[in-house]
Amino acid sequence: MAHEELHLNLRNLTLDDYEQLQVLMDRVYDDIGGAWPKDTIKALVEQFPDGQICIEDKGQLVAVALTVSVKYERFSNPHTYDDLMKGDSLYGLDVFIHPEYRGYRLGRRLYEARKELCRSINLRAILAGGRIPGYFKYADQYSPAEYIDRVDRRDIYDPILSFQLSNDFQVTRLMHKYLPEDKKSQGYATLLEWRNILYTPPSSVLNEKKTQVR
């Protein structure tokens, strides 16, 4: 498919998109359980509508980013996929692309949309737990930490971690049993962080206002 044939539109996901989202998730994640229940997507859309971002081509859903708002101090430490709460940072739950639309930089476009959201609502960072689906090929040669280091040095290409590193995310720790059903990653995941350098802590804003009043 030529790039000029695409008619891409980036927008927020709605619950009306669930049928298409279900088909897309079942296709992309056939090895780790497929689509999330409708009630889960409904909760995300209702609780944090700005964080649910999608790209459509001629009305067809082809890429999705699911995001929640979390407490930085809690989620910069070990946690599991199911730990969610509101707070001062974004947490990237998932980004998935229709297989026929890979290579068109849709993932990068969704990541940039997340960064812009983080800046616009003055959040501290974007955190994400990242699978390492290429690890099973090297598990008999390297520990998970060694594998991550080699991906970081570009000695090895990992379809998820390599992409995240190229989008300015930094690995801050290794997590185990993050997504136990993920056999390719052997249950391991990376905790990644993108820091919003424009972030202004609420206390700083308050002190600045007090200074101006005086």
Side-chain angles (χ1 to χ4, degrees), residues 8 16 21 23-24 50 69 91 113 132 138 155-156 159 162 164 174 187-189 199-200 206:
L8 302 175
D16 291 339
L21 180 142
V23 172
L24 181 57
D50 288 345
S69 177
Y91 190 97
I132 46 174
Y138 299 89
D155 295 336
I156 295 174
S162 295
Q164 291 168 321
L174 175 69
Y188 291 100
Y199 173 65
T200 304
L206 182 60

mmCIF file of all heavy atoms in Angstrom, residues 8 16 21 23-24 50 69 91 113 132 138 155-156 159 162 164 174 187-189 199-200 206:
data_model
loop_
_atom_site.group_PDB
_atom_site.id
_atom_site.type_symbol
_atom_site.label_atom_id
_atom_site.label_comp_id
_atom_site.label_asym_id
_atom_site.label_seq_id
_atom_site.Cartn_x
_atom_site.Cartn_y
_atom_site.Cartn_z
ATOM 1 N N LEU A 8 -5.355 9.001 6.743
ATOM 2 C CA LEU A 8 -5.241 8.787 8.177
ATOM 3 C C LEU A 8 -5.833 9.940 8.977
ATOM 4 O O LEU A 8 -5.678 11.104 8.638
ATOM 5 C CB LEU A 8 -3.770 8.600 8.553
ATOM 6 C CG LEU A 8 -3.043 7.442 7.857
ATOM 7 C CD1 LEU A 8 -1.575 7.443 8.236
ATOM 8 C CD2 LEU A 8 -3.689 6.106 8.202
ATOM 9 N N ASP A 16 -17.933 3.472 20.869
ATOM 10 C CA ASP A 16 -18.497 3.001 19.596
ATOM 11 C C ASP A 16 -17.453 2.290 18.740
ATOM 12 O O ASP A 16 -17.804 1.560 17.808
ATOM 13 C CB ASP A 16 -19.080 4.176 18.801
ATOM 14 C CG ASP A 16 -20.332 4.749 19.455
ATOM 15 O OD1 ASP A 16 -20.962 4.022 20.247
ATOM 16 O OD2 ASP A 16 -20.658 5.915 19.180
ATOM 17 N N LEU A 21 -12.036 -2.317 17.518
ATOM 18 C CA LEU A 21 -10.898 -2.509 18.422
ATOM 19 C C LEU A 21 -10.763 -3.976 18.812
ATOM 20 O O LEU A 21 -9.646 -4.513 18.875
ATOM 21 C CB LEU A 21 -11.072 -1.634 19.660
ATOM 22 C CG LEU A 21 -9.960 -1.718 20.714
ATOM 23 C CD1 LEU A 21 -9.684 -0.347 21.307
ATOM 24 C CD2 LEU A 21 -10.334 -2.685 21.838
ATOM 25 N N VAL A 23 -11.621 -6.651 17.101
ATOM 26 C CA VAL A 23 -11.069 -7.402 15.972
ATOM 27 C C VAL A 23 -9.562 -7.152 15.856
ATOM 28 O O VAL A 23 -8.774 -8.085 15.649
ATOM 29 C CB VAL A 23 -11.778 -7.008 14.655
ATOM 30 C CG1 VAL A 23 -11.076 -7.627 13.455
ATOM 31 C CG2 VAL A 23 -13.240 -7.430 14.690
ATOM 32 N N LEU A 24 -9.152 -5.889 16.027
ATOM 33 C CA LEU A 24 -7.738 -5.526 15.906
ATOM 34 C C LEU A 24 -6.907 -6.161 17.015
ATOM 35 O O LEU A 24 -5.841 -6.734 16.767
ATOM 36 C CB LEU A 24 -7.597 -4.002 15.926
ATOM 37 C CG LEU A 24 -6.179 -3.435 15.792
ATOM 38 C CD1 LEU A 24 -5.515 -3.918 14.513
ATOM 39 C CD2 LEU A 24 -6.217 -1.901 15.830
ATOM 40 N N ASP A 50 -9.101 11.612 27.140
ATOM 41 C CA ASP A 50 -7.999 12.197 26.364
ATOM 42 C C ASP A 50 -6.841 11.222 26.169
ATOM 43 O O ASP A 50 -6.043 11.379 25.239
ATOM 44 C CB ASP A 50 -7.475 13.461 27.053
ATOM 45 C CG ASP A 50 -8.448 14.623 26.948
ATOM 46 O OD1 ASP A 50 -9.365 14.540 26.110
ATOM 47 O OD2 ASP A 50 -8.295 15.594 27.700
ATOM 48 N N SER A 69 -3.787 7.643 33.855
ATOM 49 C CA SER A 69 -3.060 8.592 34.687
ATOM 50 C C SER A 69 -2.727 7.902 36.000
ATOM 51 O O SER A 69 -3.598 7.288 36.631
ATOM 52 C CB SER A 69 -3.922 9.834 34.930
ATOM 53 O OG SER A 69 -3.276 10.738 35.794
ATOM 54 N N TYR A 91 0.625 6.640 32.122
ATOM 55 C CA TYR A 91 1.141 5.278 32.022
ATOM 56 C C TYR A 91 0.618 4.671 30.731
ATOM 57 O O TYR A 91 -0.592 4.564 30.525
ATOM 58 C CB TYR A 91 0.706 4.430 33.215
ATOM 59 C CG TYR A 91 1.422 3.096 33.270
ATOM 60 C CD1 TYR A 91 2.534 2.925 34.070
ATOM 61 C CD2 TYR A 91 0.986 2.028 32.498
ATOM 62 C CE1 TYR A 91 3.212 1.710 34.107
ATOM 63 C CE2 TYR A 91 1.658 0.817 32.528
ATOM 64 C CZ TYR A 91 2.760 0.666 33.326
ATOM 65 O OH TYR A 91 3.431 -0.528 33.358
ATOM 66 N N ALA A 113 1.693 11.868 20.158
ATOM 67 C CA ALA A 113 0.415 12.362 20.682
ATOM 68 C C ALA A 113 0.379 12.237 22.199
ATOM 69 O O ALA A 113 -0.126 13.118 22.904
ATOM 70 C CB ALA A 113 -0.745 11.604 20.051
ATOM 71 N N ILE A 132 9.342 -7.607 26.046
ATOM 72 C CA ILE A 132 10.566 -7.843 25.259
ATOM 73 C C ILE A 132 10.372 -9.147 24.468
ATOM 74 O O ILE A 132 10.990 -10.170 24.771
ATOM 75 C CB ILE A 132 11.827 -7.884 26.145
ATOM 76 C CG1 ILE A 132 11.609 -8.761 27.393
ATOM 77 C CG2 ILE A 132 12.227 -6.483 26.574
ATOM 78 C CD1 ILE A 132 12.878 -8.957 28.230
ATOM 79 N N TYR A 138 16.889 -15.557 22.632
ATOM 80 C CA TYR A 138 18.229 -15.389 23.198
ATOM 81 C C TYR A 138 18.318 -15.828 24.659
ATOM 82 O O TYR A 138 19.361 -15.657 25.289
ATOM 83 C CB TYR A 138 18.652 -13.919 23.103
ATOM 84 C CG TYR A 138 18.722 -13.396 21.692
ATOM 85 C CD1 TYR A 138 17.612 -12.837 21.076
ATOM 86 C CD2 TYR A 138 19.913 -13.462 20.963
ATOM 87 C CE1 TYR A 138 17.679 -12.347 19.765
ATOM 88 C CE2 TYR A 138 19.996 -12.983 19.659
ATOM 89 C CZ TYR A 138 18.868 -12.431 19.072
ATOM 90 O OH TYR A 138 18.943 -11.956 17.787
ATOM 91 N N ASP A 155 22.881 -4.100 19.234
ATOM 92 C CA ASP A 155 23.442 -5.373 18.786
ATOM 93 C C ASP A 155 22.314 -6.341 18.422
ATOM 94 O O ASP A 155 22.509 -7.243 17.598
ATOM 95 C CB ASP A 155 24.295 -6.011 19.892
ATOM 96 C CG ASP A 155 25.524 -5.176 20.220
ATOM 97 O OD1 ASP A 155 25.965 -4.403 19.341
ATOM 98 O OD2 ASP A 155 26.036 -5.283 21.345
ATOM 99 N N ILE A 156 21.162 -6.161 19.085
ATOM 100 C CA ILE A 156 19.985 -7.002 18.863
ATOM 101 C C ILE A 156 18.793 -6.088 18.621
ATOM 102 O O ILE A 156 18.665 -5.039 19.270
ATOM 103 C CB ILE A 156 19.712 -7.904 20.088
ATOM 104 C CG1 ILE A 156 20.865 -8.901 20.291
ATOM 105 C CG2 ILE A 156 18.390 -8.648 19.943
ATOM 106 C CD1 ILE A 156 20.734 -9.715 21.562
ATOM 107 N N PRO A 159 11.339 -5.981 18.613
ATOM 108 C CA PRO A 159 10.268 -5.223 17.968
ATOM 109 C C PRO A 159 9.581 -4.184 18.841
ATOM 110 O O PRO A 159 9.036 -3.212 18.328
ATOM 111 C CB PRO A 159 9.280 -6.305 17.511
ATOM 112 C CG PRO A 159 9.649 -7.527 18.284
ATOM 113 C CD PRO A 159 11.107 -7.424 18.559
ATOM 114 N N SER A 162 13.233 -1.863 21.024
ATOM 115 C CA SER A 162 14.002 -1.026 20.094
ATOM 116 C C SER A 162 13.197 0.203 19.699
ATOM 117 O O SER A 162 13.727 1.324 19.621
ATOM 118 C CB SER A 162 14.400 -1.826 18.851
ATOM 119 O OG SER A 162 15.287 -2.876 19.174
ATOM 120 N N GLN A 164 10.740 1.626 21.464
ATOM 121 C CA GLN A 164 10.587 2.524 22.610
ATOM 122 C C GLN A 164 11.859 3.328 22.861
ATOM 123 O O GLN A 164 11.791 4.523 23.153
ATOM 124 C CB GLN A 164 10.195 1.711 23.844
ATOM 125 C CG GLN A 164 8.789 1.138 23.745
ATOM 126 C CD GLN A 164 8.509 0.112 24.824
ATOM 127 O OE1 GLN A 164 9.373 -0.687 25.177
ATOM 128 N NE2 GLN A 164 7.295 0.111 25.351
ATOM 129 N N LEU A 174 14.084 -3.599 35.470
ATOM 130 C CA LEU A 174 13.568 -4.837 34.905
ATOM 131 C C LEU A 174 12.485 -5.366 35.824
ATOM 132 O O LEU A 174 12.643 -5.367 37.045
ATOM 133 C CB LEU A 174 14.702 -5.869 34.770
ATOM 134 C CG LEU A 174 14.309 -7.271 34.311
ATOM 135 C CD1 LEU A 174 13.856 -7.252 32.856
ATOM 136 C CD2 LEU A 174 15.496 -8.232 34.488
ATOM 137 N N GLY A 187 7.720 -13.606 30.677
ATOM 138 C CA GLY A 187 7.201 -12.929 31.861
ATOM 139 C C GLY A 187 7.942 -11.670 32.246
ATOM 140 O O GLY A 187 7.520 -10.954 33.154
ATOM 141 N N TYR A 188 9.035 -11.363 31.570
ATOM 142 C CA TYR A 188 9.816 -10.172 31.895
ATOM 143 C C TYR A 188 9.280 -8.955 31.140
ATOM 144 O O TYR A 188 8.645 -9.065 30.092
ATOM 145 C CB TYR A 188 11.287 -10.367 31.535
ATOM 146 C CG TYR A 188 11.999 -11.361 32.415
ATOM 147 C CD1 TYR A 188 12.205 -12.669 31.987
ATOM 148 C CD2 TYR A 188 12.452 -10.989 33.676
ATOM 149 C CE1 TYR A 188 12.857 -13.597 32.798
ATOM 150 C CE2 TYR A 188 13.100 -11.903 34.495
ATOM 151 C CZ TYR A 188 13.298 -13.205 34.046
ATOM 152 O OH TYR A 188 13.932 -14.107 34.861
ATOM 153 N N ALA A 189 9.580 -7.790 31.692
ATOM 154 C CA ALA A 189 9.220 -6.534 31.036
ATOM 155 C C ALA A 189 10.172 -5.450 31.514
ATOM 156 O O ALA A 189 10.819 -5.577 32.561
ATOM 157 C CB ALA A 189 7.779 -6.135 31.362
ATOM 158 N N TYR A 199 7.696 20.086 32.717
ATOM 159 C CA TYR A 199 6.815 19.890 33.862
ATOM 160 C C TYR A 199 7.091 20.914 34.959
ATOM 161 O O TYR A 199 8.241 21.159 35.329
ATOM 162 C CB TYR A 199 6.998 18.483 34.425
ATOM 163 C CG TYR A 199 6.270 18.223 35.718
ATOM 164 C CD1 TYR A 199 4.886 18.227 35.783
ATOM 165 C CD2 TYR A 199 6.986 17.949 36.893
ATOM 166 C CE1 TYR A 199 4.226 17.974 36.978
ATOM 167 C CE2 TYR A 199 6.339 17.687 38.082
ATOM 168 C CZ TYR A 199 4.951 17.710 38.115
ATOM 169 O OH TYR A 199 4.296 17.464 39.295
ATOM 170 N N THR A 200 6.025 21.499 35.474
ATOM 171 C CA THR A 200 6.116 22.439 36.592
ATOM 172 C C THR A 200 5.348 21.867 37.772
ATOM 173 O O THR A 200 4.118 21.712 37.694
ATOM 174 C CB THR A 200 5.516 23.804 36.224
ATOM 175 O OG1 THR A 200 6.163 24.307 35.062
ATOM 176 C CG2 THR A 200 5.681 24.783 37.369
ATOM 177 N N LEU A 206 2.139 27.394 42.697
ATOM 178 C CA LEU A 206 1.511 28.063 43.832
ATOM 179 C C LEU A 206 2.439 29.111 44.420
ATOM 180 O O LEU A 206 2.025 30.242 44.701
ATOM 181 C CB LEU A 206 1.130 27.028 44.896
ATOM 182 C CG LEU A 206 0.403 27.557 46.138
ATOM 183 C CD1 LEU A 206 -0.903 28.218 45.751
ATOM 184 C CD2 LEU A 206 0.156 26.425 47.128
#
